[in-house]
Amino acid sequence: MRGILRGPMTERLAVRTGLRWKLSAAIALVGALVAIALSLVVHNAARVSMLDNARDLADERVQIAQRNYELTGRPNFPNVVIDDRRLPPALREKVEEGRRATFVSDRTDGEPDIWAAVPVKGGHVLSLHTGFTDRSTDIINDLDQALVIGSIAVVLGGSALGVLIGGQLSRRLRKAAAAANQMAKGETDVRVRDAIGGVVRDETDDLASAVDAMADALQQRLEAERRVTADIAHELRTPVTGLLTAAELLPPGRPTELVLDRAKAMRTLVEDVLEVARLDGASERAELQDILLGEFVARRVAAKDPEIEVRVVHESEVTTDPRRLERVLFNLLANAARHGKPPIQVTVEGRVIRVRDHGPGFPSDLLAEGPSRFRTGSADRAGHGHGLGLTIAAGQARVLGARLTFRNVRPAGAAEGVPAEGAVAVLWLPEHAPTATGSYPLLP
C-alpha cells in the first residue's frame, strides 16, 4: 500500500519468510478450507440421506399399522398411538386434510424425532413415533471421525507438497540471486540461466533470461563507453605531449610556468583516464614478486616524502606486484596530502597497510559507495582533482586481489554527527597471490 512510512523500526519488526513456507501455508490454508467445506457437505448429505431412509421406514410401518388397525380395530403395532397429543401441529394439519405424512422434529439434545401419521376410520389419527437409531448415530459419528482424519491428512499433504514445490522454486531463485550478485561484482562470465540449471522451464527461466540479456546489454554499453574513453584519451596523449614539449621551449617566466603546470596536469589526467580504462577492461594481470612489505613501504614512502611517518608493527613477506602496490600507496598518500591535514601516518602490520591523515575525514557518499571517478567528495574535503586517484587505487587493489576500505576516525563514544578527526584508508593484501588468470586459489 502506498503512503506507508518505512523506517528503522519498521525494518526491525519485519519478518523474513521463505517462499517455500509462504507457498506451504497457502496450500495448507486452501486445503483446510476445501476439506472443511467438503466435510460439511458430506456430513449434511449423509444425515439427510439417513433421515430420508428413516422417514421412509416410518411411513412403511405406519401403513402396516393402519392395515392391522382396520382389520382388528386395535393399535397392535409397536410405538403406534391413536390420537397422540404430542403429535406435531404441522403433521396434524396434514393428516386432518386426509393425507398420510411424515415429519422430523429436533429434541432439546439435538437428536431428531421421526413421526409418521395417517387418518383412520372414526376420525382418529394413527401415529408412529421413533427416534434416530443408535446405529445411525454411530454411522454419523464414524463418518465425522473419518472426515476429520481425512481433512488433517489433506492439510499435512498439502503442506508437504507446498514445501517441496516452494523449496525447488526457492532454490532456483537463490541461485539466480547469487549469480546476479556475482555479475554485480564484476564477474562478467557468470550467467543466471546457467546458474539455476534444471530441465523444467518456468517463469524463473524467463526472469533469468531477461537478467542475462540486461547484463549483456549493460556490458556491451560499458565496454563501448570504455573503448570511447580509452580512444579519446589515447588520441589526446600525442597533442598533449606536443603541447608540453612546446611549452618547455618557451622563454622563462610566469606565463611559461602556468602553461607548463596546466600541460602537466592535462598529461596526468590523460594518463589516469587511460589507466582507468585499462582497469575497467578487467584484462590487467599482476606481475608477482616476493617482497618484505614493511621494508618496501618504508623505502617507497621515504623516497616520496621523508616527512611522512612510517611504522612497521609486524614485518611480513608477501607475493604481490610491486609496481601496482606502489601505485596504490602513492595514490593514497596523494589523496591524504591533497584532501587531509598533516601529520600523515603509514602503518604496516602483517599484510595490512594503513594510511591516516588528520583532516575532516572521507565524505559519507564515499564511505557508503566507495570511490567514484570525477567525484572529489564534500566541500570541506574536495580540494582539487578529478576523483581518479582513489578510483585507480581501488582498481589496482582488485588486480592484486586486495581489499581497500575507508573509514573516518572519531572520538570513542562520539555520535555520528561529530566531526571526524581524520581519515584512514586500509589496504588488506590477500594471503594467497592471484593466479595468472586473475583468479584466486581456494583455501584448503
Side-chain angles (χ1 to χ4, degrees), residues 356 358-362 407-411 416-423:
R356 179 187 174 180
H358 290 74
F362 292 114
R407 65 180 178 88
N408 290 335
V409 180
R410 286 187 172 85
E416 193 68 23
V418 176
E421 296 181 346

Side-chain angles (χ1 to χ4, degrees), residues 14 28 96 134 146 178 211 237 248 260 274 287 294 317 367 431:
E96 290 177 352
D134 293 338
V211 172
R237 174 187 286 181
E248 292 174 349
L260 282 173
L274 279 173
E287 298 178 3
E317 183 177 358
L367 296 177
E431 183 177 357

Side-chain angles (χ1 to χ4, degrees), residues 50-283:
M50 289 184 176
L51 288 175
D52 289 341
N53 292 335
R55 292 175 67 174
D56 292 341
L57 180 60
D59 185 60
E60 293 177 1
R61 288 180 175 180
V62 80
Q63 292 182 54
I64 296 174
Q66 178 187 12
R67 288 194 294 270
N68 291 340
Y69 180 78
E70 291 175 349
L71 292 174
T72 63
R74 289 179 297 147
N76 57 359
F77 199 85
N79 298 327
V80 171
V81 179
I82 299 297
D83 296 331
D84 193 346
R85 295 181 179 180
R86 297 174 301 167
L87 197 67
L91 180 59
R92 185 181 299 276
E93 291 179 1
K94 296 292 185 183
V95 175
E96 290 177 352
E97 295 175 359
R99 300 169 57 185
R100 187 180 75 252
T102 59
F103 186 80
V104 177
S105 63
D106 291 327
R107 297 199 300 260
T108 56
D109 58 358
E111 292 295 330
D113 278 337
I114 312 299
W115 293 86
V118 61
V120 293
K121 61 185 178 179
H124 298 289
V125 176
L126 185 147
S127 62
L128 175 67
H129 176 213
T130 59
F132 211 45
T133 62
D134 293 338
R135 176 175 175 79
S136 299
T137 303
D138 292 340
I139 292 175
I140 289 292
N141 292 334
D142 292 341
L143 178 62
D144 290 341
Q145 183 178 2
L147 290 174
V148 170
I149 295 175
S151 300
I152 295 175
V154 168
V155 172
L156 294 179
S159 300
L161 181 62
V163 171
L164 180 63
I165 298 176
Q168 183 180 5
L169 183 59
S170 180
R171 282 192 299 271
R172 289 166 64 85
L173 290 176
R174 287 197 195 97
K175 291 179 180 179
N181 287 331
Q182 290 178 334
M183 294 167 61
K185 292 178 181 178
E187 299 184 22
T188 57
D189 57 337
V190 176
R191 288 297 175 266
V192 178
R193 181 63 195 85
D194 297 335
I196 62 176
V199 179
V200 180
R201 295 292 183 265
D202 54 15
E203 289 79 2
T204 310
D205 296 271
D206 299 336
L207 176 62
S209 300
V211 172
D212 290 340
M214 179 183 66
D216 291 335
L218 289 175
Q219 183 178 352
Q220 293 174 3
R221 181 173 179 179
L222 291 175
E223 180 62 22
E225 292 179 355
R226 186 193 67 82
R227 285 199 301 267
V228 169
T229 303
D231 292 342
I232 292 175
H234 189 272
E235 292 297 328
L236 286 175
R237 174 187 286 181
T238 300
V240 168
T241 302
L243 178 62
L244 183 61
T245 302
E248 292 174 349
L249 300 178
L250 294 175
R254 182 59 181 168
T256 300
E257 292 178 0
L258 293 176
V259 172
L260 282 173
D261 181 67
R262 293 298 87 196
K264 290 179 181 179
M266 186 176 293
R267 182 180 63 180
T268 301
L269 174 60
V270 171
E271 295 296 335
D272 287 347
V273 171
L274 279 173
E275 186 170 358
V276 170
R278 288 195 300 269
L279 293 172
D280 286 345
S283 59

Side-chain angles (χ1 to χ4, degrees), residues 24-40 147-148 150-159:
S24 175
I27 293 179
L29 179 60
V30 173
L33 294 177
V34 172
I36 292 174
L38 289 178
S39 298
L40 292 176
L147 290 174
V148 170
S151 300
I152 295 175
V154 168
V155 172
L156 294 179
S159 300

